[in-house]
Amino acid sequence: MSALRWGCGAAGLGRALVPAGRRRLLAEEGAGALDGIWGRRRSSSASPCERDRRKDWGHAELLEVLEARVRQLQGESVSEVTVKRVDMAQIPEGSGSSFQLSRKAEAGAALELRGRWAEKLDKEKRIMQKRKQRLEVKLQAHSQKPPREQQPRPLRVEPRLKNGQLAGCLQRWARGSPASPWEEQLAQVLQEAPQKLSCEEVQAPADRGAEAQLSGQRQKLLAFFECCLLTDHLPLAHHVLVTQHGNFRRRWLLTLAMYNTVMLGWARKGSFKELVYVFFMVKDAGLAPDLLSYAAALQCMGRLDQDASTIKRCLEQMARDRLQVQKLFLAVPMSEEERAALLTAVRKVKPAFSPPPRPTPRVNTSPLLKDIYAQGGPVSYPKLHLPLKTLEDLFQQQLRVELATTVQVKSVEKAPPLTSEVLHARETLRSLRDQWEAALCHELQEIKAELARRAREGRPTLYPHLCLLSEQETAQMLLQVLQVLPPQGESLIQLAYQLGTRAFNRHVVQRKQREHQVPALQRRYSEYLRLLACDTQVDPPRLPRQHWESLGGPGGEPPPEQPWPLPVLVRLGKQLAEVLVRAVRMPRSPGAPAGAEQLIPVLYHVYSFRSFRQIGILKPHPAFSQLLATAAEPTLTFEAAEVPMLCPPLPWTSPHSGAFLLSPAKLMRAVEGTIQHQERLEHCPPAALHGALDALTQLGNCAWRVNGRVLDLVLELFHARGCTRLGVPPPASEAPRPPSRRPAPGTPPARLAELRREAARCLKAARELRSLRADALYRLSLAQHLRHHGAFWLPHNMDFRGRTYPCPPHLSHLGSDLARALLEFAQGRPLGPRGLDWLKLHVVNLTGLKKRESLQARLAFADQVLDEVLDSADRPMTGRKWWMAADEPWQTLACCMEIARAVRSPDPTTFVSHFPVHQDGSCNGLQHYAALGRDSAGAASVNLTPSDLPQDVYSGVAAQVEVFRRQDAEQGVRVAQVLEGFVSRKVVKQTVMTVVYGVTRYGGRLQIEKRLHELQDFPQEFVWEASHYLVRQVFNSLQEMFSATRAIQHWLTESARLISHMGSAVEWVTPLGIPVIQPYHRTAKVCQGWGRWLGPGLCPLPASAPSPPRPPLVSRRPNTLKQKNGFPPNFIHSLDSSHMMLTALHCYRKGLTFVSVHDCFWTHAADVPVMNQVCREQFVRLHSQPILRDLSRFLVKRFCSAPRSQNFSKNIQMRKLFQTLLALPETGTFDLEQVKQSTYFFS
Amino acid sequence: MWVTVAGLPARLTLSVLTGAGRFSILGSGVATRKDLPEVLRRGFSDSRPQPLPCPDIRESSSCVSKCRLDYKRYVISRRLAETLAQILQGKRKTPQLVLECNPGPGILTQALLETGARVIALESDKTFIPHLESLGKNLDGQLDVVHCDFFKLDPRNGSLVKPPIMISQMLFQNLGIRAVPWSAGIPLKVIGIFPIKSEKKALWKLIYDLYSCTSVYRYGRVELNMFISEKEYQKLKARPKNPNLYQALSVLWQVACDIKLLHMEPWSSFDLHTQNGQLEKTKRRELSELIQQNLCFIRMTPRRNLFTENLTPINYDVFFHMLKQCFGKRNAKLVDHLHSLSPVDAKDILTLIRKHENVKITNICPEDFKLLFETIECSKDYNCKWLCDDIMEDRIM
């Protein structure tokens, strides 16, 4: 079959490509095409024409060989050749068709050749003729067939095998009567030992770049097969598999996972014949079937009700391959129904077989978490304030939202007066959108047809991915994205990523719906709610995750959908973006009637240059942006996963399941393109993650509500002119306006240059303002949307170090002062005896006024300013506006209001407060360092030791710097003298704060320089020198005060440097068991350009147009600088996140409401003392662990346990690393227990 | 004739005397490349001969070691210096204002002074300054020496301004140079050699300054008289006839300036001089490749009619953007580029500039690029002419 195609291409093209006058040129082109084949990169993106030409490269090569031979022979007997030279140039080499061959032969015959070389040539000629004849026979056979276009060839079913024995076997069976059963064949195939690949392995490229590309191609193939299964295109998948398998040069791309995928598809359908074909291919490829393969085979047999003997042989073979039947039920993810089929098959042979029971859930054994998972003991897990019935209603609401995938929210932007202009714009937009939807559907159909055609040619395309969603849905999704595209455009890669992700999310939701998972979820969730609702009890008390897991059916959960690999996401996204660019058009001027005028595209591919790098941007036509602005439509559309949830989130149970009801979620957010985290998490034993899973679940279970009074005030400002100081961005009309574009002619160029600078400044300001405004608009609109909901929830996930973040991006408690002030706990709690005091302390803390005073002094100050507090609460905008001067004005105002209400209530101790009170760690990074190094002096300066007044590390450093300065000044150092009186807390604060997180001298100097610039009376000519001097002194002072800290930092940095030099990214495990890997890798251009990403043949721009930039993909090689500089801060962050999670879990056990913003812990005013106690205890417990020793041990095991390699320098590196890792920094004598008494540890 | 050399550093003298070179390359700080292993680095600096025996410039050794690998070329042949001075003087009688970049040993400076010109010597290497200052002792203000790097004037990235990096406005104010209108004559001439390793970078910086009328071009049509490598010169002067050399920079410079070749000086007469005699292999290869070429002395005079109603210092960046994009994929058709440059109908534009539909980028001459830009800029009935209109921040360097 393929030989036929080959001949056809050769002949047809050969004829077409032999014009009389361009022979030489053609030959060159032929050579070019030849180059193309060898480079793999071109083979898939070549145009069809090129592909055909390439088919006959064998002939071209033949001719070349012949030509070379002639030349060689000529060389041997020059005299003869000079007379009768074969004019090789006349023969068009590039397209070796039968036509040429015959000409060649004729030319040969026409010459009367004598001599040795003539004989040789003659012989070669005869061979050529024979080949030609063979080719012609084939051509004839083909010419009788109808052309390809009219009747698509049937999809291939039978594989082409390389192994002769297998192939013969297959042929016999294929021809055999239907009586000869397929199953026997299977048994026989199974017994065949896999043929070891020899040549293929040699071929496999060794270098890393090619490897990355290879895995990209494999991902593409696997994604294609998997998606075909989902969209019921199994015959197509099989066809592609057979084609790829039959192509020996591409076969090594296929992996067992791909064969297994197709096999599983056939098993589900119960098509035994095709399944056996795949088995043949597996064996032919020299792969050994694994559990998945056997599971598929047995499942198929179970469905078909095969007789026992085949199954028996299958099981016997399995035993010979050392695979256990029990494992089939444990290790292979299956649906309930597949499991049943499998069981049927197995029971035919072993009637007594029963699937092994699911292992009892493992309990985390980490010493830190012992208390949390201990059975018994006093436990009072908190309950929500809502009854079961309400919660079930809320669940229904949330389910509706997620099924709809988007949420329409009314914009809080002031509606424009409905002038005819506005109405007209809205009308135009509406009609345009209708047109666009139709155009998009049409375009999608065309693309799909094209991709389907290409898939039938045997190559993996995006066709099945485009079939996942209906055309209407895709079109609507695209229009939503178009709606929110900023006027200055968005980078194509980002847009593609976004589109791909959205498509994936929609697909996941639809799949769950299709597979009837929703009713099951509903049942399970309402059972689960009994744990949380205030009017039901569950006994024994359990953590939400434990309860949820206990409610699962016997078969376990359906496996969560694996996220698509990034290249697939981006490829799909780009394809969709391209559809959008091509389909969406608008009239040139919005006023013109539709159809009357030529339509212009709405979206353009434009390019931006950063330095000399080109960045592709998709930009809407300004007229379209203008139209949107004029229409000022009153609704905003959000994705369901961008809005807080209306019911408690699902507990996290695995890296991919939790949070939203249907939308997919990730436990760990990853920097785009890094997959290493996911791999680590997948490989983690499930119990090791329990700490993180439970802490995140618990943070997500906190119910929130909107603080309506604050929201009203903010909205008032937002509708008026905004207020930059209070964090309410002014409307776009307040932006500085650039001068009119065209100055009078004849203006001198220098003046024009000034105008330009001014315009650029305005533009920049306006753009910043616009993005700030949009941000505030989303936040406030969502807050307004949710204000009448009694409660909503913010599901949490974490970053790669374990720091936690709420998933909904726009409205959450993590953010600016304004964002924090908008939210409060939905659940209230009476203030109790000391609650009011904590509110008062909190308001003082928020003002930032009494940082260095004791709690008593702060409380006294609060009573002193109570009048101001009440005034602020009563007349926030008209009164004395005391709150506006605070560090955190909006939170101060919210707190003032709460205090006012509490004070005026008849009994403040019973006043139900919803207000969260914060406790902040004082320079939390240094606290962890000081505890790690048991550094007494350092510990004292960051409040690890009890003292009457809070210590202020910044003042301490400033004082130490001053000591050094005075010494230098006495020595006569000029800078030190100049700096007299300028060394203050403010100057050094930022640097000290950031030193912990790895700021370098360079960065520190810039920070200090900025501070010095702000000082009015500092002689500015000394700024550079002084900043240099100061940063040195700050580092010295820190060294003096926190000697252990610097030693630890240095040790961490040095280890990271050595690890990175060995070619690995730094990894560790947090004390809670979360695997961390630093995602800093060198970017590698894995893909070779646009065509490749978009799929061949679908270049969006004409082939000659500028190519857009390539998306940087992450290679496996670490970026040493970032790995090295990142390790100390990331390690400390992983510790502070562990501390937070421990505190969260213990607070939960004590029944507290607890949330956090990294090192700032929130709870109800009444519970602050309890939280503080837990927080201190857990800090002590955390640091009682041998953290650094564990780290060292882990790193040694991970990086120094490889066997000695041949590479000498590798061994030396490993040895050096080993020594460094063992040389743990010395620790001091600080007694950790003191932390428990330290009032100001967190305050 | 050799007298002037007497005050020079020993190394320099040596090279001048042994090889009859007309230039000298001074490599400074060869060994301070970051990625050299520690040991090797130390070895280098130990073996580096103390280059500057001049008593009055003792502190400079530290200064030299800080610089990265960067070779400087200096005119040290008296004959060449005189030729250059004559070329610069031309037939004019009136003394002129000349800004000399990195004069180094000051041989050219001397020649210039002798023609009566007023010379401002901007020297980036502190080492030479005392000697240069001594040249102008008896000349009553005819020579000003400033520690300044001409090619790093007015840094754009907001980095630290510390000598030798300076702000041109302050520099010129101190020197008492006044701005001259664009349409008037030439306020001053600059003479120098483009930095050997970053000619392209310097050309880009200058062309940005020129079109935006900032930095030195704030003061009018400053004329550059520069030595440039032959290869770069060919690129600068390339026309569609040499599609391989033709590039965005050629178009920009040819549109902006009248470029004239004044003199060619072969590199062969040039003694390759490095401070410690041994270089890394790659470096040596790079240099030896350079030495194969000639150095061209060219004059670049900004055109009086560069700015028109449609091409101004306000919208020049769009012009730059257009060219960068076009030459990003130079073998493409202009039509294809136009689609992602401007929403204006591409066919109309091509008719207006009388170009065929299939015209390729490399077939369009610089003048036509300007015409193309102006045609789009003044196209009627489009309220949006450029798609890249508001991407104003794209910058080089």
Side-chain angles (χ1 to χ4, degrees), chain A residues 46 94 112 179 242 519 617 619 688 1019 1140 1158 1204:
Chain A
E112 291 184 15
V242 170
I617 287 177
K619 188 180 162 166
M1140 192 280 290
H1158 308 318
R1204 291 178 73 81

Side-chain angles (χ1 to χ4, degrees), chain A residues 1116-1192:
Chain A
R1116 305 239 160 191
R1117 296 189 66 188
N1119 176 335
T1120 304
L1121 187 72
K1122 280 193 176 176
Q1123 290 282 355
K1124 182 179 82 139
N1125 287 344
F1127 189 30
N1130 286 334
F1131 183 69
I1132 293 299
H1133 280 319
S1134 76
L1135 289 186
D1136 72 38
S1137 76
S1138 297
H1139 176 219
M1140 192 280 290
M1141 285 183 179
L1142 282 172
T1143 313
L1145 289 170
H1146 281 92
C1147 283
Y1148 195 71
R1149 208 172 162 84
K1150 289 188 191 286
L1152 264 58
T1153 305
F1154 174 90
V1155 284
S1156 80
V1157 179
H1158 308 318
D1159 58 358
C1160 177
F1161 297 173
W1162 300 16
T1163 192
H1164 283 107
D1167 299 330
V1168 177
V1170 183
M1171 184 185 75
N1172 272 339
Q1173 189 204 341
V1174 172
C1175 165
R1176 284 166 210 152
E1177 278 170 9
Q1178 292 311 314
F1179 187 81
V1180 175
R1181 296 232 9 224
L1182 176 68
H1183 282 284
S1184 305
Q1185 299 293 314
I1187 294 175
L1188 286 182
R1189 197 149 16 102
D1190 286 350
L1191 176 69
S1192 156

Side-chain angles (χ1 to χ4, degrees), chain A residues 1099-1121:
Chain A
C1099 282
L1101 305 163
S1104 53
S1107 61
R1110 291 130 189 198
L1113 273 198
V1114 168
S1115 78
R1116 305 239 160 191
R1117 296 189 66 188
N1119 176 335
T1120 304
L1121 187 72

Side-chain angles (χ1 to χ4, degrees), chain A residues 469 473-481 499 502-503 506 576:
Chain A
L469 300 178
E473 271 172 300
T474 317
Q476 271 161 14
M477 183 184 86
L478 289 173
L479 288 180
Q480 280 159 18
V481 170
L499 280 171
R502 285 189 177 207
R506 278 166 173 69
L576 291 173

Side-chain angles (χ1 to χ4, degrees), chain A residues 171-335:
Chain A
Q171 289 241 308
R172 266 200 313 285
W173 286 110
R175 293 221 189 87
S177 61
S180 56
W182 286 95
E183 45 268 31
E184 279 184 32
Q185 218 184 325
L186 175 67
Q188 197 173 342
V189 172
L190 284 174
Q191 279 165 15
E192 295 281 340
Q195 306 292 315
K196 272 283 152 264
L197 300 182
S198 48
C199 49
E200 275 87 355
E201 270 170 347
V202 177
Q203 266 182 15
D207 60 306
R208 279 161 183 264
E211 206 175 89
Q213 189 178 346
L214 174 67
S215 75
Q217 283 176 333
R218 285 195 168 143
Q219 277 177 341
K220 197 165 137 187
L221 267 167
L222 188 60
F224 174 80
F225 291 132
E226 282 174 348
C227 204
C228 275
L229 245 64
L230 289 176
T231 53
D232 205 17
H233 285 106
L234 196 54
L236 189 67
H238 189 80
H239 168 76
V240 172
L241 185 72
V242 170
T243 316
Q244 297 273 336
H245 183 85
N247 183 340
F248 298 129
R249 274 195 293 114
R250 296 187 66 76
R251 178 187 284 182
W252 52 284
L253 281 176
L254 295 174
T255 57
L256 187 59
M258 298 173 201
Y259 292 107
N260 283 344
T261 310
V262 177
M263 228 186 288
L264 180 66
W266 290 123
R268 281 186 188 152
K269 288 199 162 198
S271 310
F272 197 63
K273 182 178 158 187
E274 285 84 355
L275 184 105
V276 174
Y277 276 141
V278 182
F279 248 105
F280 261 107
M281 287 191 279
V282 171
K283 286 288 177 177
D284 187 42
L287 300 166
D290 63 359
L291 274 178
L292 288 164
S293 326
Y294 282 109
L298 287 170
Q299 191 196 128
C300 190
M301 288 190 272
R303 270 179 220 273
L304 288 178
D305 204 22
Q306 296 281 6
D307 79 282
S309 64
T310 321
I311 300 174
K312 194 172 171 204
R313 274 200 268 174
C314 192
L315 289 178
E316 279 166 9
Q317 182 61 36
M318 240 178 105
R320 233 168 288 150
D321 287 352
R322 294 200 193 88
L323 299 171
Q324 290 172 346
V325 183
Q326 271 82 1
K327 280 268 177 70
L328 283 177
F329 293 88
L330 291 177
V332 182
M334 271 182 294
S335 71

